[in-house]
Amino acid sequence: MIEIINAKLGLNKVFLKAQMTLEELKEKAPHKKELIKSQEDSLNEIAEAQLILHRLDTKCLSISGDLYRSNKLLIELQTEINHL
């Protein structure tokens, strides 16, 4: 789980740096249309990766909860079997 958090933080850091670079490009070199477009495309790709990583993180948490409940039930059933 810690790896997912670190990955999300790293991706957020990259997104913010790219966003700051884009803002600086627009301010200081508005004539570099192709470079600005490329940076915007990169930001969109990073945002998509962030969304996918968030969905995977949410799914992982859900599966982890399901696994915990299943294991708890399994232990309860094994205990019941042992008593029988």
Side-chain angles (χ1 to χ4, degrees):
M1 295 304 270
I2 211 75
E3 295 89 3
I4 294 174
I5 293 169
N6 284 335
K8 287 173 79 171
L9 287 173
L11 197 53
N12 286 341
K13 184 177 168 183
V14 169
F15 181 85
L16 291 174
K17 284 182 178 181
Q19 192 173 41
M20 287 175 23
T21 300
L22 176 60
E23 290 170 6
E24 188 175 327
L25 273 171
K26 286 181 175 180
E27 180 183 316
K28 295 182 179 179
H31 60 282
K32 295 186 177 183
K33 303 279 188 212
E34 287 183 38
L35 185 57
I36 290 171
K37 176 68 173 128
S38 174
Q39 191 71 11
E40 288 172 338
D41 291 344
S42 295
L43 271 174
N44 288 334
E45 290 172 5
I46 294 169
E48 181 69 20
Q50 285 177 309
L51 179 62
I52 291 168
L53 188 55
H54 175 72
R55 287 178 182 162
L56 288 172
D57 184 25
T58 302
K59 187 67 173 174
C60 183
L61 286 173
S62 174
I63 290 171
S64 179
D66 291 346
L67 182 59
Y68 173 80
R69 286 184 291 282
S70 294
N71 282 338
K72 184 177 177 190
L73 179 60
L74 179 61
I75 290 170
E76 290 171 0
L77 291 172
Q78 286 175 335
T79 302
E80 186 177 329
I81 289 170
N82 289 339
H83 282 88
L84 294 175

